Amino acid sequence: MAQRAEAGEERYRATRLGNGVRVLTESMRGVRSASAGVWVRQGSALEPVEMAGASHLLEHMVFRGTQNRSRREIALALESLGGSLNAYTSREHTGYEARVLTDHLPRAVEVLSDLVRNPLLEPEDLAREKEVVSEEIAAVEDTPDDLVFELHGDRMWGGHPYGNSILGTRETVAAISRDDLAALHRDRYVGANMVVAAAGCVEHDAFAALVEEWFGGIETGREANAVADPSEASSGTDRIDRDLAQVHIVLGRDTCGHSHPDRYALVLLSAALGGGMSSRLFQRVREELALAYSVYSYQAFYARAGVLGVYVGTRPASAPAALDAVRGICGIVAAEGLPGDELARTREQVKGRMMLSLESPGARLHRLAGFALHDEPFIGLDEMQRLIDAVSQCDIVRVAGEVLDPERQYTLCLGSDERRGTN
């Protein structure tokens, strides 16, 4: 079965192989490169507690060697052609990506297939990679503006898998065996859980033939179970005392998931709140009050829920004033929404940033795969802009009241208690 959508510069097509693998392409005029990737529905939110970090560890292990390539040969496979190869693990997916000149796209597909289909998972390599991941965990612990998000997510989600650390813990990673990873690979790296996509200078039928050649032999398998709906997230304020030069503060509230229509209102709210130098948070907290160097809003959307929040880093003596200022701005927007002129400016800002960010094949690839991974229909750029324009002031007021009320947010402060004075 194939789907096709063409509008302006967008040429999108989709095919599903007999084993369930979804094949997607978006052709872009005027480029000579292509970005291709393989996504597997497996991430930290799909792991049992005792296997925390397994998805990420498996992603690392595939680069340690396959049945056809040593780890050095993997590194050279595309770099020797001027291309690149990368991978990442998220809450719900694991992705493997390549960027190459179009002439080298067949090589990229074959290399990606080798990685996801044929990892050796040698015990001695696993021992080394566990040490690498332990260093990665240590790096997060030594980076408080990363660590605060890990701790905030764990506490805000109240035990739901969306709060799980993608890296796992030293204890869980140490306990994962070669057999555990082999079973995870065998169970989840199957056609029913896989998306293969390409964007850039790519022709769909030729790409689909490559995917059929290199991925058509994968077993259909069983689709991964969906993440359970979370219960209401935590609210209130917690403090974790650390001897740091700054206090790192995150305020957040759970939101709707990726497929919900309110997603567009949330994106606009986040942009107006702390999405740039002209945002309310930047102008008030940094420019007017000089309480912080870094202050911004963020949002993330998963299958079953999402989060919208604010980060601010400030000296201990300034932390109470900075937190009051952030909460004050959130409270005003929660009560009043955005006035018409600010909403209009924010719409143009979001649309402009979106269009500029999607001029690269890599960005188009991520967007393309995202629709398939969330089982959503493809939405063209013109339609996306229309959906942003369709967000009304009533939508903004309603959604802001739900997610920006400081009484309903969960706040975590990481650093020295301001009552001690400055460091």
Side-chain angles (χ1 to χ4, degrees), residues 66-88:
T66 71
Q67 295 173 16
N68 302 306
R69 290 179 171 89
S70 67
R71 62 179 181 272
R72 176 167 174 76
E73 288 171 334
I74 291 171
L76 286 170
L78 298 183
E79 282 191 6
S80 63
L81 303 174
S84 61
L85 189 62
N86 204 356
Y88 70 93

Side-chain angles (χ1 to χ4, degrees), residues 36-241:
V38 180
W39 281 265
V40 180
R41 286 188 174 92
Q42 177 58 37
S44 60
L46 298 167
E47 297 167 343
V49 174
E50 67 275 11
M51 287 277 285
S55 305
H56 175 257
L57 183 59
L58 177 56
E59 174 233 308
H60 274 228
M61 282 296 295
V62 303
F63 287 89
R64 278 285 180 174
T66 71
Q67 295 173 16
N68 302 306
R69 290 179 171 89
S70 67
R71 62 179 181 272
R72 176 167 174 76
E73 288 171 334
I74 291 171
L76 286 170
L78 298 183
E79 282 191 6
S80 63
L81 303 174
S84 61
L85 189 62
N86 204 356
Y88 70 93
T89 305
S90 70
R91 295 281 188 274
E92 296 172 313
H93 315 115
T94 306
Y96 301 88
E97 304 168 24
R99 186 182 181 192
V100 291
L101 295 176
T102 300
D103 288 346
H104 301 142
L105 186 57
R107 177 73 169 274
V109 175
E110 183 272 319
V111 171
L112 289 168
S113 170
D114 193 26
L115 285 175
V116 302
R117 295 188 64 179
N118 306 313
L120 289 176
L121 307 179
E122 296 287 4
E124 59 269 28
D125 289 331
L126 178 58
R128 295 188 185 97
E129 207 58 40
K130 286 182 178 181
E131 292 300 315
V132 172
V133 173
S134 292
E135 293 297 332
E136 197 173 355
I137 293 170
V140 171
E141 293 173 343
D142 277 347
T143 311
D145 51 340
D146 287 339
L147 178 61
V148 69
F149 285 95
E150 290 269 312
L151 297 171
H152 182 274
D154 175 55
R155 294 177 178 220
M156 188 195 79
W157 290 111
H160 186 272
Y162 283 150
N164 291 355
S165 169
I166 292 172
L167 302 182
T169 69
R170 289 185 179 85
E171 292 75 22
T172 59
V173 170
I176 295 169
S177 69
R178 194 268 179 195
D179 288 344
D180 291 332
L181 293 185
L184 180 64
H185 182 269
R186 185 170 56 251
D187 185 51
R188 298 298 172 85
Y189 280 53
V190 294
N193 288 325
M194 199 167 290
V195 172
V196 185
C201 185
V202 57
E203 196 279 318
H204 180 81
D205 290 337
F207 181 74
L210 285 170
V211 177
E212 179 70 59
E213 178 182 359
W214 294 107
F215 292 84
I218 293 176
E219 292 186 6
T220 302
R222 180 178 58 86
E223 189 172 339
N225 294 329
V227 178
D229 289 330
S231 57
E232 186 171 353
S234 300
S235 59
T237 301
D238 284 332
R239 298 180 182 275
I240 298 177
D241 190 42

Side-chain angles (χ1 to χ4, degrees), residues 281-299:
L281 286 171
F282 192 95
Q283 286 295 311
R284 178 64 175 161
V285 178
R286 174 169 163 162
E287 298 296 278
E288 295 178 17
L289 300 178
L291 292 171
Y293 175 77
S294 181
V295 57
Y296 57 86
S297 59
Y298 68 96
Q299 75 277 331

